[in-house]
Amino acid sequence: MSKHDTAPTMIIPAGTEIQVDHHGQLSVRTPGNLVIQNSGHYGEIESVHGSIRIEAAAEVEAVSVRCAEICYVSGSLTAWKVHARAIHLEESAQARVVLQETEGLEIGKNAQLVGNFGSEKELFLLFSRFARQLRTLPFYFDRKDDLAPPAELPARREADSAPAAEVPAAPMAVADADAADGPPLASAVLRAGQELPDSLFFALVLLEREAKRETYGSTSVRMIEQVVELLRTRDLDTLHHTHRTLFARIVEPSDDILRARELIEAFFVDVPTADG
């Protein structure tokens, strides 16, 4: 008997959807139970009517895990959000879940659970209490970059070959298009060195990470970089008048880009203008 005769058979049930997003992350949506035996990075994992089980040897990282019944973890799970009737962590399981939407939680004797926030509001309230400490932490995946010369951003490499019509105007020129949105926020422009409000700081973190991705075209990267520059220089006056136009020119924005836009828009709704 050959080794091929003993290999396990993979069955994909009818109704299963398997997709790859623009970040190269695999998403799986299946009508029944789902068992994951191999390690991997996923966008979304969903069992519409059943449960999800992560076996002992598997290390799974996912943006979203969703199932109608129970999410069993015997190996390792790192996720932004888990939505299930309950989460069961077996004896040696490890779970790092930022947002948990469940009715029940069972943790084995030697299992570990990190995170477990009930909502984004709860998460931001906690982070705001330790904002100073959080600002000093480097990104885990960026630590190696600190030891090497800074790499040139994709937008600059593509700029030479981009058509002249694609090169956008400077932020101040864009301001005229949004001038009708409201009076200038002169009183909200921060002094050099003054810390950003927490919501804008988190938006800056998200946008800095997105600016390094190679999935965007030169125009989109320039728009992201312009918003990043306005946040870094604390020029909230210009940001107030230009952020809608800048974000509108980003083609196929990711969830992080959309979240950053929401944070910036919410800030200017809550902050009074110079005339208010």
Side-chain angles (χ1 to χ4, degrees):
M1 181 179 293
S2 67
K3 62 180 181 180
H4 299 289
D5 296 330
T6 60
T9 300
M10 179 178 179
I11 299 176
I12 301 178
T16 298
E17 299 176 8
I18 301 177
Q19 299 177 341
V20 178
D21 63 18
H22 60 282
H23 294 305
Q25 292 179 316
L26 185 67
S27 293
V28 179
R29 185 176 187 268
T30 186
N33 297 327
L34 177 62
V35 178
I36 300 178
Q37 296 180 331
N38 289 337
S39 301
H41 297 260
Y42 297 85
E44 296 183 2
I45 304 172
E46 181 176 0
S47 170
V48 179
H49 302 296
S51 298
I52 293 176
R53 179 177 180 83
I54 298 173
E55 296 283 25
E59 296 182 1
V60 173
E61 179 178 322
V63 176
S64 173
V65 177
R66 178 180 293 269
C67 62
E69 295 299 328
I70 299 174
C71 178
Y72 296 95
V73 181
S74 182
S76 172
L77 171 64
T78 301
W80 173 256
K81 180 184 293 186
V82 174
H83 178 91
R85 186 167 61 82
I87 297 178
H88 289 187
L89 303 183
E90 300 182 0
E91 291 302 316
S92 59
Q94 293 186 353
R96 303 167 188 87
V97 178
V98 180
L99 300 175
Q100 175 193 317
E101 299 176 353
T102 63
E103 299 175 5
L105 177 63
E106 292 188 13
I107 302 178
K109 183 178 180 181
N110 297 318
Q112 295 181 351
L113 175 64
V114 178
N116 197 31
F117 293 93
S119 65
E120 285 191 351
K121 181 179 180 180
E122 181 180 332
L123 174 66
F124 278 107
L125 286 175
L126 178 64
F127 278 3
S128 66
R129 295 177 61 184
F130 301 100
R132 293 182 181 275
Q133 290 81 2
L134 184 65
R135 292 169 197 261
T136 63
L137 294 177
F139 279 116
Y140 176 78
F141 293 106
D142 291 345
R143 289 177 181 173
K144 293 182 181 179
D145 297 337
D146 296 338
L147 304 178
E152 189 175 12
L153 291 174
R156 295 175 182 173
R157 292 199 299 268
E158 300 171 5
D160 297 335
S161 60
E166 275 197 344
V167 180
M172 289 305 295
V174 181
D176 295 337
D178 291 337
D181 290 347
L185 286 178
S187 61
V189 178
L190 303 181
R191 298 186 299 273
Q194 186 174 351
E195 292 183 348
L196 285 171
D198 292 332
S199 59
L200 296 186
F201 168 71
F202 287 120
L204 175 60
V205 169
L206 293 172
L207 293 171
E208 285 180 331
R209 183 173 59 185
E210 288 297 297
K212 297 180 181 180
R213 297 187 183 275
E214 298 182 357
T215 56
Y216 296 107
S218 59
T219 300
S220 296
V221 172
R222 281 181 174 273
M223 298 301 101
I224 298 172
E225 287 182 329
Q226 286 187 14
V227 180
V228 167
E229 182 64 21
L230 292 174
L231 288 169
R232 285 175 178 170
T233 58
R234 279 67 167 165
D235 188 355
L236 303 192
D237 192 343
T238 303
L239 181 64
H240 173 242
H241 293 306
T242 63
H243 70 277
R244 289 189 178 91
T245 298
L246 294 174
F247 278 112
R249 293 181 180 177
I250 300 175
V251 180
E252 295 184 358
S254 67
D255 290 341
D256 286 346
I257 293 290
L258 297 176
R259 181 59 181 150
R261 184 181 66 183
E262 291 175 358
L263 290 169
I264 293 173
E265 290 180 348
F267 172 80
F268 289 117
V269 169
D270 296 335
V271 174
T273 62
D275 295 343

